[in-house]
Amino acid sequence: MIISRISRFISNFDNLLALFAGACVVIAVLLILSLPLPYAENQLYPKSLNAGSPLNPYDRGGPPFTQADIVVQYPENSPYAGYVTAYLTPLSGFMAAHTLYLGTTIVAHPGGILDEILYNTRGLDTVVESTILFIAFGIAAFLFRKGS
Amino acid sequence: MSSVGGATLAHLPFGDIVIYITPFTLTLFLLALVFTILVIASRPERQLDITFGADRIITKETGLTEMRFRRFMAIACGLASMGAMLTGDVFDFALFTSLVGITNVGIVAAVKSRHVQNAAFQYGLVAMAGTVPLFGAAAMVAATTGTLSMLELAKEATSVVPFAVKAFLVLGVMGEGMAPFYAAKAEMFRAPGAPYVIMCSLSSLLIFLRVIEVVLTV
Amino acid sequence: MWNEYSVGLFIVLISAAIGFLALARETDDFHRLLLIDLVEIPSLAIIALLGTDLAEALILPGLVVGISELLALSQLYIVKEGLRSRPVKSPGIEVIELAHAPLIISVFLVAYGIVLSGFTGGGIAGLGVIFYIMSRGHSERFEIVEMASGISWAVWIIAFFVFMFLPQYWYMAVMLAAVGILLKVAAKMSLMGTMWGAHDE
């Protein structure tokens, strides 16, 4: 009796999202009850702030074409890790030399610590991520063209 | 290392993300590979509509563009499953799993039927909601242990990842792999072009099997 | 030991639970889509609580996955609800000299975007393409935009393999990746413009 009612509820696919959201609420409450969680001391790619640097939140490297010192998981797999971190394009280098605020637009320029992580040490993540975007774009484009 | 999947056969390093192959993951990988090849080789089925009384049989034609699009999605789904089987990094696994989720939406969404599209939309909503626990759990693994690599996590004698975080990860995979619910209802019986829908069910099965190994290992 | 991480996690998880509770009660499809977009913010916050450079590098994929699924699902919603023949007018930018002026401005924007390169450069170059398409009312360039997206993806894969197997050529790889993201963002931006104003004639 109860089972048939449950199965009727589940078989309507409009209800499945509600069911999943309910499960998420339950697990979130379980997580809250299991707090506090420990925070590991030895993190990868630790963040250090240097307020005087023009690259402020992202300054990890020395002059371009030198190897900066960054904490990676497997240093033996990326012998050249740190070069991208230290690199700035000539335009960015010019802006860094004349203003103090290049760090706020660091995503605009190739090089820097984020590019190092995104393309070099964790490059496979970025490949999968852009594949997801490519697939989603393909679905949207197919549906759009079919509609028009 | 004490691995559930057996002894490690090989490593394939991509920077910080190291792919490792055990007999367990190799078996699942080969399964995904075989089905992807089957999808590439097979022709879509044609569905028959039989009208009783009028003595009439209509063959539903699948359009060429629709067929090619769905085949592309099915192959992408197979590749994503292969990646999810082999990867040795928790966040990378989360990304591959959401790739499986979105390709499953694509396989179903291309069908020109209001009912099927409605099911695909509902499934897409669940898959999108599933990314929240999936990425959240991966980030919590990194914060509580200081690493994302499964090889490093497996070195610990006891499990260092809290139980609730593991439950969160499994919940996320459940959200991404919920496609067969919809596929079985909307697709197999109502939509033409059946072979591609096998990928939905197979990829869900594979990511469920893999997440169990991940949860037991870390 | 209630460290800062646990306190932050406590707040974020409560907001996530509230969001999911709202999602469980909502029955309208469109509002469900909006609520899921809302619920994704706590997941980004959980990643951000990691507080290292790694966290910023993980937020980007997390954000992109959310946005791309939203793109696919909203298009699916439009098709499913049959909303495609809605009367949307593009702004219809008035130009005096139809032949040359938009072309010159677009070329300038695209060139400047290429000089900037990277993410912002892609945005500016995409803006140039949108401006050109809007002022001309062209929509047949859709396939080209789609192809550019595919090419940028391939460029990115090449950059990845250079990084992994020929790390001494890291400089070439980072430039390839920058060109890839430039093409990708430009293609996406101009696509938004095309999709929005396609049925205005």
Side-chain angles (χ1 to χ4, degrees):
Chain A
M1 185 66 190
I2 290 173
I3 291 173
S4 72
R5 199 176 297 165
I6 291 172
S7 96
R8 198 174 307 144
F9 181 79
I10 293 177
S11 71
N12 181 4
F13 55 66
D14 280 331
N15 292 332
L16 267 178
L17 180 65
L19 198 67
F20 183 74
C24 284
V25 173
V26 171
I27 302 286
V29 169
L30 182 70
L31 268 171
I32 290 171
L33 292 180
S34 71
L35 287 175
L37 292 175
Y39 184 78
E41 289 305 315
N42 299 319
Q43 290 285 345
L44 302 170
Y45 313 100
K47 201 168 194 65
S48 55
L49 297 179
N50 173 15
S53 163
L55 300 173
N56 181 8
Y58 302 103
D59 191 8
R60 305 286 178 278
F65 298 102
T66 57
Q67 191 160 20
D69 202 21
I70 54 174
V71 184
V72 302
Q73 180 82 61
Y74 299 107
E76 67 275 13
N77 290 345
S78 321
Y80 283 79
Y83 277 98
V84 177
T85 306
Y87 179 72
L88 287 178
T89 57
L91 185 71
S92 317
F94 175 80
M95 279 154 71
H98 290 84
T99 71
L100 263 179
Y101 308 107
L102 187 71
T104 55
T105 63
I106 196 75
V107 288
H109 317 278
I113 181 73
L114 289 188
D115 279 4
E116 182 79 61
I117 304 173
L118 281 175
Y119 301 133
N120 190 351
T121 58
R122 296 188 66 86
L124 195 60
D125 273 358
T126 311
V127 167
V128 181
E129 171 224 316
S130 57
T131 310
I132 292 174
L133 188 52
F134 184 49
I135 295 285
F137 178 65
I139 295 170
F142 179 81
L143 290 173
F144 173 74
R145 283 207 295 199
K146 201 177 71 177
S148 62
Chain B
M1 87 185 237
S2 61
S3 172
V4 194
T8 311
L9 300 176
H11 294 278
L12 192 59
F14 288 112
D16 271 9
I17 298 167
V18 174
I19 287 174
Y20 67 94
I21 299 171
T22 64
F24 180 73
T25 57
L26 186 66
T27 314
L28 297 183
F29 173 80
L30 289 177
L31 200 60
L33 184 68
V34 167
F35 272 86
T36 311
I37 292 169
L38 281 181
V39 163
I40 294 172
S42 64
R43 314 269 312 146
E45 267 174 39
R46 283 185 183 161
Q47 232 179 10
L48 297 180
D49 265 11
I50 301 174
T51 317
F52 285 103
D55 201 14
R56 194 167 53 147
I57 300 175
I58 303 164
T59 311
K60 280 188 188 166
E61 289 288 335
T62 313
L64 186 66
T65 48
E66 184 191 317
M67 190 209 83
R68 279 168 60 186
F69 178 78
R70 297 182 69 204
R71 190 172 60 192
F72 170 72
M73 282 295 157
I75 294 167
C77 183
L79 293 175
S81 320
M82 285 182 224
M85 290 312 104
L86 289 185
T87 183
D89 184 279
V90 180
F91 196 81
D92 206 42
F93 175 71
L95 275 170
F96 270 119
T97 309
S98 35
L99 181 56
V100 168
I102 190 99
T103 47
N104 280 345
V105 176
I107 292 173
V108 189
V111 179
K112 282 186 196 120
S113 152
R114 173 90 202 270
H115 180 82
V116 175
Q117 280 175 347
N118 202 17
F121 181 74
Q122 295 296 332
Y123 165 59
L125 288 181
V126 176
M128 205 168 154
T131 59
V132 176
L134 202 56
F135 291 123
M140 278 189 256
V141 168
T144 51
T145 65
T147 181
L148 280 166
S149 165
M150 290 178 203
L151 287 169
E152 299 296 315
L153 291 168
K155 278 179 188 161
E156 309 283 335
T158 54
S159 180
V160 282
V161 180
F163 171 75
V165 174
K166 288 182 180 178
F168 217 38
L169 183 71
V170 173
L171 186 68
V173 175
M174 278 170 70
E176 297 293 337
M178 225 184 238
F181 260 106
Y182 299 93
K185 282 187 65 64
E187 182 80 344
M188 297 231 178
F189 309 119
R190 294 190 176 90
Y196 307 125
V197 85
I198 298 288
M199 269 336 276
C200 284
S201 311
L202 182 80
S203 60
S204 305
L205 174 71
L206 289 177
I207 58 174
F208 279 134
L209 289 174
R210 182 69 212 270
V211 78
I212 292 165
E213 194 238 335
V214 171
V215 165
L216 290 177
T217 306
V218 300
Chain C
M1 42 153 216
W2 274 86
N3 45 16
E4 279 178 320
Y5 178 70
S6 296
V7 173
L9 209 54
F10 180 73
I11 296 166
V12 171
L13 283 172
I14 284 182
S15 52
I18 292 171
F20 275 120
L21 212 56
L23 195 59
R25 295 168 57 88
E26 181 61 59
T27 50
D28 183 68
D29 280 348
F30 185 65
H31 285 104
R32 279 176 164 178
L33 198 58
L34 293 180
L35 276 175
I36 287 175
D37 202 28
L38 187 71
V39 166
E40 297 218 319
I41 295 170
S43 97
L44 295 182
I46 293 175
I47 303 176
L49 277 172
L50 189 53
T52 57
D53 285 331
L54 181 62
E56 300 203 28
L58 296 186
I59 278 182
L60 282 174
L63 192 66
V64 167
V65 169
I67 289 173
S68 51
E69 292 194 343
L70 190 65
L71 174 74
L73 284 184
S74 47
Q75 193 63 37
L76 184 56
Y77 180 78
I78 288 170
V79 172
K80 161 178 106 76
E81 297 289 319
L83 297 175
R84 61 178 187 273
S85 58
R86 70 208 186 284
V88 171
K89 295 286 282 182
S90 74
I93 299 164
E94 298 266 343
V95 280
I96 304 159
E97 183 83 35
L98 198 67
H100 301 300
L103 185 68
I104 291 167
I105 295 172
S106 302
V107 165
F108 173 74
L109 281 176
V110 170
Y112 180 56
I114 290 169
V115 169
L116 276 184
S117 76
F119 194 81
T120 320
I124 290 176
L127 202 65
V129 179
I130 291 180
F131 182 73
Y132 184 72
I133 289 170
M134 276 193 169
S135 58
R136 286 292 177 87
H138 278 185
S139 58
E140 77 269 24
R141 285 179 169 72
F142 195 75
E143 283 82 352
I144 298 174
V145 173
E146 228 177 310
M147 204 172 70
S149 168
I151 290 172
S152 72
W153 184 75
V155 168
W156 220 330
I157 303 285
I158 294 168
F160 170 68
F161 279 111
V162 171
F163 262 129
M164 288 305 135
F165 299 114
L166 300 166
Q168 63 271 34
Y169 299 111
W170 61 270
Y171 184 71
M172 189 180 85
V174 76
M175 282 301 137
L176 279 175
V179 170
I181 199 170
L182 177 102
L183 274 175
K184 192 174 91 163
V185 177
K188 294 297 176 298
M189 288 276 294
S190 49
L191 180 86
M192 304 299 162
T194 326
M195 275 189 170
W196 188 42
H199 299 289
D200 58 339
E201 64 272 358

